[in-house]
Amino acid sequence: MLSSRASLAATRRLGPTTSFAQQAGWTCAKCRNSIPTLRKGVPSLLRANGPTTRRYGSKTGDNGGRQDHNYGGRSRARRSAVLAATGGGVAAAAATVGGSLLAFGDDIKNSYEAMERTGRVAAALVLCINDYYTTLGRRDKVEKPEEKETLLKACHQRCADRTLKVLEQSGGIFIKLGQHLSAMNYLLPPEWTTTFIPLQDRCPVSSFESIQAMFKADTGQDLLDYFSEFSPEPIGAASLAQVHMATIRETGQRVAVKVQHPSLKKWAKLDMNLTSFTFSTLKRFFPEYDLEWLSSEVEVSLPQELNFECEAENSKRTKEYFGSLSQPLPLVIPDVLWAKKRILVMACETGKRLDDLDYMDSQGIDRDEVSATLARIFNEMIFGEGAPLHCDPHGGNIAIRKNDTRRRGPNFDIVLYDHGLYRDIPQDLRRSYAKMWLAVIDGDMEGMKKYVNEVAGIGEDKFPLFASAITGRDFMIVSDTNEGGVMKPKEASEQKTMSTALQEGLLADLVQMLGQVPRIILLILKTNDLTRSLDESLHTKQGPVRQFLILARYCMRTVFYEQLEEIKKRGSLYWPPNAIRVFAAWLGFLRVELKLEAFELWLSAKRLLGYKNLGLEAAA
C-alpha cells in the first residue's frame, strides 16, 4: 500500500469513459502498487490490456480503511420520492432518454458502448422509479409514523446503491455529478448523499498505453524519452484525470504528472448534452423541481476544467496570493513545471488524508488547529481582496502533513490540489456577503433580510429557506439568538428536523430558490458545504464557536476596508471628522478581533493545562 501520495491528487472532475465489457473488476491500490515502476526498455505489465482498457481503482486497503492521501399531500410526496430517484440517478436518466433522441456522430450513436451504457442505466432508472412507487403504496397503508419512515429510508438506500453502481460503471460526467450530489445534504436524503461519498475516492483508470499515445500526440515526444521513470499505475484517479509519479530524465527531479483521460474527447460532448437534456426533461415533467441550474453550471465549468493550462494559471495565482500575505498561512500549493491542455507536470508534494485522524493524533497535530487553519484559508479566498476562490475543496483535494520546522505557529502543512475550478467574487458581492454573515452571527433579522436580498435576490418569502441553506442550520436555531444562534453546537435532532421539513414539502421550494440565485452564489454554497463537511470529519472538540469568530473577523475586515474607502472619498483621513470616522470603524473591527483573541487564549490555556474535553460553556 502506498504510504503517501504525490501532489495533485485526483481532481474529481467531469470525464469520459470507455467500454466496460472487458472490465476485470476492481483493482485495489495495494495490488496496483505491486506492479514495478516502468523504465525505458522494460516492457509494461499492463500493455496486454490494450490502449483503451480502463479499470476502477479503489483507495481502500486490505484492512478496509482508507489509504493515505497524497494530494491530495400524497401527490407531492410521490413526486418528492421520484425526484430522489432521478435526482440521485440523474446520469441514468440522461443516458436513457438521450441515447435514442440525440445524435452526435455515427461513431458514438452506433457504438456498442453507447448501447451498453444506455441499457445499463435505463434498467437502473426503471427499477428505482418502480421501487419508489411500490414503497409509497405500501407506506400509505401503514399507520405508525416510525414504520413509514423505515420503509422510505430503506427504499432510499436500495435505490442509492443501485445508482452508485451505474455511476461507477458509466464514469465520466456521471461520476462528477455523483460527487456533487454527495455534498448536497441540504437537498437529498442522507441515504443518497452518504452512499455517493465513495465516488470521491473511486474513479476510472485509463490504461498506460493510452497515456503514452496521448503524451506523444500532445508533445511530439515519447513519454519515456522525457521521463527516465514513469509509474504505469496512477497513484490517484478522478473522473477527469489521473496522476502518475515520474522522474524527469534531464534533471532527475521526482514529479507528479496529471494526465487527462484520453477518451474524454470522445464522450465529453455527449455526456454534457445528455445531462442538459435530462434536467430539461425533469423540469418538463416536474416543473416544481427545476434542476437546470445544475447543468448550466456544469456547462460553464467543464471547458475550464478540461484545460490544464488554465489550471496551471490558477495554481500559480493562488500560490502568489497566499505568499504575499503579511501573516502567512501553512498552505502548500505544488509548483507547476509546465502544462499542456491535457498534461500537467508539477512538484511532488505528499500528505495524508484529512480524515486520517489516527495519523494526526499520532503526530501530535491538534485537530482543532487544523479546523481553524482551514477556516482561515477558505475565508481568505472568499473575502480577500483579489483572492481566487477554489470551488472544489472536497476531501480528495486536500492533504495534511507534519512540519516541525516552524519556531512558532502550526506544526503541520495543508496541501491543496486540483485548481481547475476557480471563480472570482465581485467586490460588491463580497462586501454584501460579509455584511450578511455579520447579521447572521449577530442575529440581526432585518440586516439578514436586507443583505440576503443584495447577495442572492431573495425576498422575505424565501429568506428563511436561504438562511438555512447558507448556514446548514435550522432557521429556528439561526433566529434564536437567546440560545446562541448559529454558534450553538448542532444536535442530531436538528438534522432530523431539517430532513423531515424537506420531505414534507420544502424540497420543491428549495430547488426553485436555488434556480433563481446567481451562479457564483451556488458555487459559494457548494464551497460552504464541502468545507463544513471537512470540518465535521475532523471531529473537533471546540464546536462551531471558533469557526464563526474566524468568519466574523474576515467579514469585519472586509467591511472595515469598505468604510475606509468611503471615508477617503470625503477627503484626507487626517481631517478631524474623518479621523473620528476611521476610529469608529476601527473599533468595530477591534471588537470582533478581541473576541477571537480571547477565545484563542482560552483554547491555548486549556491545552496547556491538559483539559482536552473541557466544554464550550467555560468560554461563554
Side-chain angles (χ1 to χ4, degrees):
M1 184 182 298
L2 292 171
S3 61
S4 64
R5 297 206 220 129
S7 154
L8 201 56
T11 63
R12 316 314 190 216
R13 297 264 166 258
L14 308 173
T17 184
T18 58
S19 175
F20 288 86
Q22 298 175 340
Q23 179 178 326
W26 293 92
T27 304
C28 73
K30 181 178 181 181
C31 295
R32 293 204 312 267
N33 195 43
S34 65
I35 299 175
T37 299
L38 184 69
R39 297 175 185 270
K40 187 174 182 181
V42 179
S44 168
L45 297 178
L46 299 180
R47 295 188 181 182
N49 289 334
T52 59
T53 301
R54 296 181 71 181
R55 297 167 306 287
Y56 273 80
S58 171
K59 299 190 179 171
T60 302
D62 55 1
N63 62 353
R66 292 193 177 188
Q67 265 196 328
D68 298 342
H69 179 80
N70 307 267
Y71 275 84
R74 175 172 175 178
S75 174
R76 191 157 192 165
R78 289 185 184 275
R79 287 190 174 187
S80 296
V82 173
L83 177 67
T86 53
V90 63
T96 301
V97 296
S100 59
L101 295 179
L102 300 177
F104 298 96
D106 292 340
D107 58 328
I108 293 178
K109 186 178 73 171
N110 297 326
S111 71
Y112 170 77
E113 293 174 24
M115 292 189 296
E116 179 189 39
R117 181 193 198 95
T118 300
R120 179 170 57 239
V121 295
L125 181 63
V126 170
L127 287 172
C128 286
I129 293 178
N130 181 69
D131 199 347
Y132 271 103
Y133 270 99
T134 302
T135 299
L136 288 173
R138 292 173 57 196
R139 188 169 176 263
D140 290 341
K141 299 176 182 178
V142 174
E143 296 183 358
K144 294 182 179 180
E146 297 82 4
E147 292 184 19
K148 289 177 179 285
E149 183 178 3
T150 300
L151 283 172
L152 191 55
K153 282 181 173 293
C155 182
H156 285 328
Q157 192 61 60
R158 288 192 302 272
C159 293
D161 289 339
R162 290 190 197 106
T163 304
L164 176 64
K165 292 179 181 178
V166 172
L167 296 180
E168 289 174 334
Q169 292 173 333
S170 298
I173 195 174
F174 304 120
I175 286 183
K176 184 62 180 179
L177 282 171
Q179 292 171 352
H180 187 54
L181 292 169
S182 71
M184 299 175 69
N185 50 16
Y186 56 86
L187 188 61
L188 293 174
E191 290 80 13
W192 283 93
T193 56
T194 55
T195 299
F196 286 172
I197 287 176
L199 292 174
Q200 296 183 3
D201 290 319
R202 296 205 300 255
C203 290
V205 175
S206 294
S207 72
F208 175 70
E209 289 78 10
S210 64
I211 299 301
Q212 283 183 303
M214 185 181 74
F215 191 91
K216 175 73 171 178
D218 289 10
T219 67
Q221 186 176 8
D222 287 334
L223 184 145
L224 292 177
D225 284 337
Y226 183 79
F227 298 107
S228 60
E229 287 184 306
F230 192 96
S231 175
E233 286 293 324
I235 50 88
S239 56
L240 178 65
Q242 60 193 48
V243 179
H244 295 257
M245 295 297 297
T247 301
I248 298 177
R249 181 175 296 279
E250 184 176 343
T251 64
Q253 181 179 359
R254 192 70 170 159
V255 295
V257 184
K258 177 180 176 182
V259 290
Q260 197 172 113
H261 291 306
S263 59
L264 183 61
K265 184 178 180 180
K266 177 180 179 182
W267 292 104
K269 184 177 180 181
L270 174 64
D271 287 350
M272 266 310 316
N273 281 279
L274 292 177
T275 303
S276 177
F277 183 82
T278 296
F279 286 118
S280 63
T281 301
L282 285 173
K283 180 180 178 180
R284 207 174 300 122
F285 284 95
F286 306 104
E288 64 270 43
Y289 300 118
D290 181 6
L291 292 171
E292 284 191 307
W293 53 268
L294 184 56
S295 62
S296 296
E297 177 53 38
V298 172
E299 288 176 357
V300 173
S301 302
L302 185 60
Q304 298 178 29
E305 296 179 79
L306 293 178
N307 188 347
F308 290 178
E309 292 173 337
C310 178
E311 178 172 343
E313 183 60 32
N314 290 335
S315 177
K316 179 182 178 182
R317 183 180 166 205
T318 304
K319 191 177 185 71
E320 290 177 349
Y321 177 85
F322 280 92
S324 68
L325 297 180
S326 58
Q327 294 182 330
L329 292 167
L331 177 65
V332 175
I333 307 291
D335 287 320
V336 175
L337 278 68
W338 58 268
K340 296 287 186 181
K341 189 172 182 179
R342 298 192 293 175
I343 303 168
L344 189 66
V345 179
M346 71 212 74
C348 177
E349 300 287 357
T350 62
K352 306 284 185 175
R353 287 187 61 95
L354 270 182
D355 57 4
D356 192 343
L357 305 184
D358 291 338
Y359 168 76
M360 283 183 270
D361 294 342
S362 67
Q363 296 295 316
I365 296 175
D366 190 330
R367 285 186 253 156
D368 287 343
E369 289 304 311
V370 175
S371 172
T373 299
L374 288 172
R376 293 187 179 100
I377 289 171
F378 286 101
N379 279 309
E380 186 65 54
M381 287 185 169
I382 292 174
F383 298 107
E385 188 73 33
L389 175 62
H390 190 301
C391 296
D392 200 18
H394 59 70
N397 288 335
I398 303 178
I400 187 168
R401 67 187 184 192
K402 184 74 175 287
N403 186 345
D404 287 324
T405 61
R406 299 186 187 91
R407 297 182 61 184
R408 298 182 60 185
N411 65 341
F412 59 84
D413 290 327
I414 298 294
V415 188
L416 184 61
Y417 309 109
D418 188 5
H419 304 275
L421 183 57
Y422 268 70
R423 287 291 188 278
D424 288 289
I425 302 177
Q427 185 183 73
D428 291 344
L429 177 60
R430 184 172 63 248
R431 290 174 172 177
S432 294
Y433 188 67
K435 294 170 188 175
M436 183 202 76
W437 268 113
L438 288 173
V440 170
I441 294 170
D442 290 338
D444 178 6
M445 287 297 109
E446 292 305 313
M448 288 171 63
K449 292 176 183 178
K450 175 183 176 182
Y451 294 114
V452 162
N453 183 264
E454 287 187 11
V455 166
I458 300 297
E460 289 195 23
D461 57 331
K462 298 287 180 64
F463 160 69
L465 194 59
F466 184 82
S468 292
I470 200 77
T471 61
R473 304 297 298 270
D474 186 343
F475 182 71
M476 297 302 294
I477 300 295
V478 175
S479 59
D480 189 3
T481 55
N482 293 328
E483 295 296 327
V486 292
M487 291 195 181
K488 180 181 178 181
K490 193 173 186 178
E491 299 176 356
S493 58
E494 181 183 348
Q495 184 61 48
K496 184 175 181 179
T497 299
M498 295 174 68
S499 297
T500 301
L502 288 176
Q503 293 181 14
E504 290 178 352
L506 282 181
L507 179 59
D509 294 335
L510 179 59
V511 171
Q512 290 180 356
M513 182 197 71
L514 292 176
Q516 298 171 6
V517 302
R519 285 176 178 168
I520 184 64
I521 296 300
L522 293 176
L523 285 173
I524 292 175
L525 276 171
K526 176 186 175 183
T527 302
N528 282 346
D529 289 335
L530 291 172
T531 52
R532 191 180 298 126
S533 176
L534 288 173
D535 188 64
E536 290 173 355
S537 72
L538 290 169
H539 299 289
T540 59
K541 306 177 183 70
Q542 65 195 12
V545 176
R546 192 181 190 187
Q547 297 289 318
F548 281 111
L549 285 175
I550 293 172
L551 169 62
R553 180 186 183 278
Y554 281 91
C555 291
M556 276 305 303
R557 186 186 71 178
T558 301
V559 173
F560 176 63
Y561 289 158
E562 181 185 12
Q563 290 172 332
L564 285 182
E565 189 177 295
E566 292 298 322
I567 294 171
K568 287 179 180 178
K569 292 179 181 178
R570 298 171 178 264
S572 172
L573 295 179
Y574 298 103
W575 186 46
N578 281 350
I580 294 174
R581 294 186 183 97
V582 171
F583 182 70
W586 177 77
L587 283 179
F589 177 68
L590 183 63
R591 175 177 64 91
V592 175
E593 190 77 12
L594 289 176
K595 280 186 179 182
L596 178 58
E597 287 295 329
F599 191 76
E600 298 279 358
L601 286 173
W602 176 80
L603 288 176
S604 298
K606 183 185 74 170
R607 287 193 296 270
L608 185 64
L609 296 173
Y611 292 112
K612 296 182 179 180
N613 295 311
L614 189 62
L616 285 172
E617 295 80 6

